[in-house]
Amino acid sequence: MPRTLSVSDSIVIAAEPQELYDRISDPTAMGSWSPENQGAVVDGHDAGSPTGTVVGTSFVGTNRRGRATWVTRCTVTAADPGRRFAFRVHRIGLRTPRLNASIASWEYRFDADPTGGTRVVEVWTDDRRWPDALAAVFDRIATGGSSFADFQRRNIASTLKRLKAVFEG
């Protein structure tokens, strides 16, 4: 059976689309709600300054899963204020993102919800073009037993719940 290359989930948050977009499009804040990401440094920006992310903005994210840590270089691919923010992960390494590789793409969409608030949709897409059998072996080692699609499905659910808590708590 071919592997699942994309998973998504959504949640309604009691906040305006622009408010959510402003926070989520700041890669330095991602560590506040992501189960793996510990934050990021945006190229050309001082720590604590607004990132002003636009298409082409590049950043290095620090990640942790259990005892494993790594960094990734990412580039913003969509920056439509109040509507959509997306980036692709295209370089990875232990301390410096040195290995060029198509890894994954992440997307966040913000839609006004008829019940009030905003429906935030988070989408992960596996950009690896590996044979399915090789990906299955690697995924089980890297995730502790599951496919990346199943692993990211759980991560997305956790991220969305944490986002809701941050904005509504």
Side-chain angles (χ1 to χ4, degrees):
M1 182 169 99
R3 75 183 191 266
T4 302
L5 295 177
S6 187
V7 295
S8 67
D9 199 354
S10 67
I11 197 166
V12 175
I13 299 174
E16 294 297 317
Q18 187 63 48
E19 178 185 7
L20 287 157
Y21 175 90
D22 288 346
R23 288 286 301 281
I24 292 171
S25 69
D26 175 1
T28 67
M30 187 64 69
S32 299
W33 46 79
S34 170
E36 279 192 356
N37 182 267
Q38 305 292 297
V41 175
V42 178
D43 293 351
H45 291 276
D46 295 327
S49 70
T51 62
T53 51
V54 297
V55 172
T57 297
S58 190
F59 59 93
V60 173
T62 302
N63 305 280
R64 176 182 299 279
R65 183 180 313 136
R67 292 177 28 184
T69 60
W70 68 97
V71 294
T72 56
R73 170 147 317 269
C74 307
T75 300
V76 175
T77 57
D80 188 3
R83 297 186 59 214
R84 182 172 174 248
F85 176 71
F87 60 92
R88 69 184 180 89
V89 183
H90 55 86
R91 193 177 289 175
I92 192 167
L94 295 178
R95 291 185 184 88
T96 303
R98 297 184 192 273
L99 177 63
N100 284 321
S102 293
I103 299 167
S105 296
W106 291 89
E107 177 182 9
Y108 298 85
R109 293 190 305 265
F110 311 92
D111 300 310
D113 191 76
T115 63
T118 301
R119 178 164 298 279
V120 178
V121 178
E122 182 176 8
V123 181
W124 167 84
T125 302
D126 186 347
D127 291 339
R128 300 172 302 160
R129 295 302 172 240
W130 302 359
D132 288 350
L134 176 62
V137 171
F138 177 84
D139 292 1
R140 281 174 175 44
I141 293 168
T143 67
S146 66
S147 70
F148 261 114
D150 289 339
F151 183 79
Q152 295 300 16
R153 192 175 283 113
R154 290 188 300 272
N155 275 351
I156 289 171
S158 177
T159 296
L160 293 173
K161 286 177 190 169
R162 290 176 182 189
L163 267 173
K164 186 173 182 77
V166 166
F167 279 90
E168 294 181 358

